[in-house]
Amino acid sequence: MTTRIEARFAKLKEEGRPALVTFVMAGDPDHETALRIVEALPEAGADVIELGMPFSDPMADGPAIQKAGLRALKAGESLKKTLSLVTDFRQGDADTPIILMGYFNPIYIYGVEAFVKDALASGVDGLIVVDLPPEMDDELCLPALEAGLNFIRLATPTTDDKRLPAVLKNTSGFVYYVSITGITGSAAPDAGKVSAAVSRIKRHTDLPVCVGFGVRTAGQAAEIGRGADGVVVGSALVSAIEASLAKGGGDASVSAVTDIVRQLAVGVRTARLAKA
């Protein structure tokens, strides 16, 4: 069966443009506002939504996403509430792919079997679990794939040709290429190096390759999108949410995110024109 993620990338391939993949943290700045933000993303131009699962020790995340997770936890967000957010989102949107991104600890505590079952029931399409290497596929990756969830793996600038087959073995949906070494939001990617890295990965797989870490502007999205199947933006969005809290959050938070996403959407559509 074709998943929403696979269907979305097939559609975008026909259109000849990269995907705009947006990351926000579930429950940031609070559950109700987070739901409103996620509901507004597709109309603003997001093609795929990554939803962060708040965790108290997010070792791969930079300060912006760390603070977003802590805001969410302080506001009472839990993995159960995150799944309910997806359920509520699905009441009005049956097509936009939703990917849960985060760390294994909250899933382990929830119970892998129960989590996979509940994630599917809520309308989740895929998982990115950054601290589970291929050597631990039995823990979550294989049960998720068996159930029909895509399992998206990260490749980095240090993932060489010897390691890449292991990384790609049970990956599905797309490959997430981390464009810089280090934590999220720490630097801007080099478009030339990114394009070469994407080409190298594509020699090993037919899956789409999306590029994230460090993309903040429409210009960067266009530049990266010329050499990739998708552009992932996260830190810029969660930073906008943080800034909006000085204006009271709520409507200000929703507008802060959607304004940036609209600009980024123009960028990825410019990338399409550059490819033509």
Side-chain angles (χ1 to χ4, degrees):
M1 189 179 80
T2 303
T3 65
R4 286 189 190 95
I5 296 171
E6 292 160 351
R8 179 56 52 96
F9 278 99
K11 180 175 180 286
L12 293 175
K13 188 175 181 180
E14 284 180 12
E15 293 178 16
R17 71 166 178 89
L20 175 58
V21 183
T22 56
F23 171 95
V24 291
M25 184 68 67
D28 178 34
D30 57 72
H31 185 82
E32 291 73 21
T33 306
L35 174 59
R36 289 178 57 204
I37 290 169
V38 174
E39 288 175 334
L41 286 171
E43 188 179 346
D47 298 301
V48 178
I49 297 169
E50 289 179 5
L51 194 57
M53 297 178 284
F55 179 48
S56 57
D57 187 24
M59 58 188 177
D61 295 320
I65 292 177
Q66 282 188 15
K67 286 191 278 186
L70 291 175
R71 284 194 300 270
L73 291 171
K74 189 176 178 181
E77 191 69 10
S78 64
L79 189 48
K80 189 171 184 179
K81 288 183 78 171
T82 297
L83 293 176
S84 76
L85 190 155
V86 180
T87 301
D88 291 341
F89 172 81
R90 285 283 172 236
Q91 302 308 307
D93 189 318
D95 299 318
T96 304
I98 292 268
I99 297 160
L100 296 186
M101 183 173 186
Y103 300 82
F104 185 51
N105 183 272
I107 297 170
Y108 178 78
I109 292 169
Y110 193 103
V112 168
E113 189 176 339
F115 170 76
V116 168
K117 179 172 174 265
D118 292 352
L120 271 173
S122 70
V124 170
D125 303 294
L127 304 173
I128 301 174
V129 183
V130 299
D131 55 347
L132 277 185
E135 290 75 17
M136 297 178 69
D137 275 358
D138 288 346
E139 294 282 350
L140 177 63
C141 174
L142 296 181
L145 290 173
E146 259 182 60
L149 290 167
N150 286 131
F151 200 89
I152 294 119
R153 191 89 68 188
L154 304 181
T156 74
T158 60
T159 309
D160 60 22
D161 286 332
K162 186 177 179 182
R163 177 65 174 167
L164 203 50
V167 170
L168 296 171
K169 184 179 178 185
N170 291 315
T171 299
S172 69
F174 64 90
V175 181
Y176 187 141
Y177 178 66
V178 177
S179 59
I180 53 173
T181 52
I183 55 174
T184 57
S186 58
D190 180 309
K193 289 181 180 177
V194 167
S195 182
V198 170
S199 296
R200 181 174 68 85
I201 293 168
K202 281 181 168 290
R203 289 198 288 271
H204 293 263
T205 181
D206 293 328
L207 290 171
V209 180
C210 296
V211 175
F213 280 46
V215 178
R216 290 181 168 272
T217 67
Q220 288 173 334
E223 201 173 17
I224 296 298
R226 291 185 187 107
D229 300 299
V231 180
V232 187
V233 182
S235 293
L237 304 185
V238 297
S239 294
I241 292 172
E242 181 181 17
S244 75
L245 299 181
K247 300 175 183 176
D251 291 344
S253 295
V254 177
S255 297
V257 173
T258 54
D259 287 351
I260 295 172
V261 171
R262 286 190 186 94
Q263 295 169 28
L264 293 164
V266 172
V268 296
R269 284 156 179 80
T270 303
R272 174 192 178 186
L273 296 176
K275 282 182 173 181

